[in-house]
Amino acid sequence: MRRPLKQPQKRITDKHDFLDGLPDDLVVFILSKLSSTASSPSEFINILSTCKRLNRLGLHRLVLSKAGPKVFVNKAKNWSEHVHRFLKQCVNAGNLDACYTLGMIRFYCLKNRASGLSLMAKAAMKSHAPALYSLAVIQFNGSGGTKQDKDLRAGVALCARASLLGHIDALRELGHCLHDGYGVKKNLSEGRRLLVQANARELALVIRSVTSASPSRSQSDSSSSLTWRAGDYSVCPLLSDYVYNVAVPEVQPVGLFMREWFETGPGRAELGNGLRLCGHIGCGRAESRAHEFRRCSVCGKVNYCSRGCQALDWKLRHKMECSPEELVVQDNDGDYDNGGVELVNDDVV
């Protein structure tokens, strides 16, 4: 009598894939969480390239609408029609960070002013604070137009709205406007109060990020990160008058993209034609016409798109490099401009 054949034992690798058993709506929900917390584009792309199903569901409207700003971080040298198309898909899905990022790139880099303004306005109407502040800077400078297109009151109003949403740069800009009477009635005490509040918020934000990144560090180790180190640009002397430094705030991804675009990318030729880049390393905005940005009123060597950028760069770097120089600059209308904001006042705030 023949023995019955033994059933072959299934290997561990032959087990059923649990992902195949999950419904699409649950996978989409998981992918939306992953896209919102992804730390880089490659992290999100690696998830999509895992299998055809994840690739298909990863482009779902809900997933794209929840994508965080770090998903849109890209090198200017890697800019392509595929990247542009992906950003447009995210915009169509209602992603406000994508609206802001693509709006900035179109306005400053691709010179599509109307489309860029439209996208930033779309994000601003949904209370996107960086978009509100960017529109304020455009109004202050009359970017994309002539000097007569400046609307200082509109810039102040946009800064005020962005500051109410917690945007620190907008709060600092509003403080400078009140302090100098720029686009609004001069109010020294209120301007100084807002400048102090902006510095305090930034300090609290940085300390919170330091403590959350290393909760196991001792108090003595954490306090050492606030020690003065002259000439070290990895720290930002927000409280330099009190002999303290804190880490430089995280730069907006689109700012890094635009700076690379104009310094080493396709926009480098434009800077060679007399247009200037904002001196603050975290900004990346470039002039849309000659002599649009203000120069430092002390040395006249560095240009800034806003008072906020000027104050930040002064504390970060320019304070140690600036030296008085006899310089008079003629603007595009024949008037003379010596720069504008004196940073000595902000240094004591």
Side-chain angles (χ1 to χ4, degrees), residues 293-311:
F293 293 166
R294 291 171 174 265
R295 288 181 182 269
C296 173
S297 59
V298 179
C299 67
K301 297 178 181 178
V302 191
N303 316 287
Y304 299 101
C305 68
S306 63
R307 286 163 165 75
C309 282
Q310 193 172 15

Side-chain angles (χ1 to χ4, degrees), residues 56-328:
R56 173 175 58 85
L57 297 178
L59 298 178
H60 189 276
R61 185 180 181 87
L62 178 62
V63 178
L64 297 180
S65 67
K66 298 293 184 181
K70 292 185 178 181
V71 173
F72 310 127
V73 177
N74 212 317
K75 297 286 187 181
K77 62 181 180 180
N78 297 331
W79 178 258
S80 65
E81 186 57 35
H82 296 289
V83 178
H84 199 172
R85 190 182 306 116
F86 174 72
L87 282 171
K88 286 192 288 187
Q89 284 182 292
C90 295
V91 168
N92 294 333
N95 190 302
L96 298 183
D97 288 318
C99 286
Y100 167 68
T101 301
L102 186 56
M104 291 284 284
I105 292 174
R106 284 185 177 178
F107 186 87
Y108 287 101
C109 301
L110 303 182
K111 301 297 178 291
N112 192 340
R113 312 290 188 191
S115 178
L117 279 175
S118 176
L119 287 172
M120 283 187 276
K122 182 179 179 180
M125 286 189 292
K126 297 291 183 65
S127 298
H128 189 271
L132 285 165
Y133 177 65
S134 293
L135 290 175
V137 174
I138 291 173
Q139 294 294 333
F140 282 134
N141 295 319
S143 301
T146 65
K147 188 175 182 180
Q148 285 69 34
D149 292 323
K150 294 182 180 181
D151 192 339
L152 305 185
R153 290 187 177 182
V156 171
L158 288 165
C159 274
R161 186 176 174 188
S163 64
L164 291 176
L165 295 171
H167 197 276
I168 297 175
D169 290 342
L171 181 63
R172 181 179 289 110
E173 189 76 23
L174 184 60
H176 281 293
C177 289
L178 286 167
H179 185 275
D180 302 325
Y182 190 74
V184 68
K185 186 177 179 180
K186 189 171 184 177
N187 190 330
L188 285 175
S189 59
E190 183 65 12
R192 286 177 175 270
R193 186 186 71 81
L194 293 181
L195 290 172
V196 171
Q197 188 177 353
N199 283 348
R201 284 189 185 181
E202 192 160 36
L203 177 61
L205 180 65
V206 173
I207 292 178
R208 193 183 306 120
S209 64
V210 170
T211 54
S212 62
S214 54
S216 59
R217 293 176 62 181
S218 64
Q219 185 175 0
S220 59
D221 292 337
S222 61
S223 62
S224 64
S225 64
L226 300 176
T227 305
W228 168 263
R229 287 172 288 186
D232 188 354
Y233 296 164
S234 65
V235 292
C236 178
L238 288 173
L239 298 179
S240 57
D241 296 319
Y242 304 99
V243 202
Y244 283 107
N245 273 12
V246 297
V248 177
E250 188 175 3
V251 177
Q252 284 278 349
V254 69
L256 294 176
F257 176 91
M258 294 194 303
R259 178 164 290 276
E260 183 182 345
W261 178 279
F262 288 110
E263 287 184 342
T264 61
R268 182 171 51 182
E270 298 175 20
L271 297 184
N273 293 332
L275 299 182
R276 303 171 294 189
L277 195 65
C278 180
H280 177 37
I281 193 171
C283 178
R285 292 180 178 86
E287 291 180 320
S288 61
R289 65 177 186 278
H291 307 296
E292 177 184 335
F293 293 166
R294 291 171 174 265
R295 288 181 182 269
C296 173
S297 59
V298 179
C299 67
K301 297 178 181 178
V302 191
N303 316 287
Y304 299 101
C305 68
S306 63
R307 286 163 165 75
C309 282
Q310 193 172 15
L312 281 173
D313 192 59
W314 174 260
K315 295 170 182 177
L316 172 65
R317 172 182 62 90
H318 194 53
K319 182 178 181 179
M320 294 174 283
E321 300 175 351
C322 186
S323 58
E325 180 174 324
E326 292 294 332
L327 181 65
V328 178

Side-chain angles (χ1 to χ4, degrees), residues 28-45 47 62-73 95 97 250:
V28 167
F29 176 77
I30 295 172
L31 288 174
S32 66
K33 291 292 184 181
L34 292 173
S35 68
S36 64
T37 57
S39 59
S40 64
S42 59
E43 183 176 333
F44 182 63
I45 293 172
I47 296 172
L62 178 62
V63 178
L64 297 180
S65 67
K66 298 293 184 181
K70 292 185 178 181
V71 173
F72 310 127
V73 177
N95 190 302
D97 288 318
E250 188 175 3

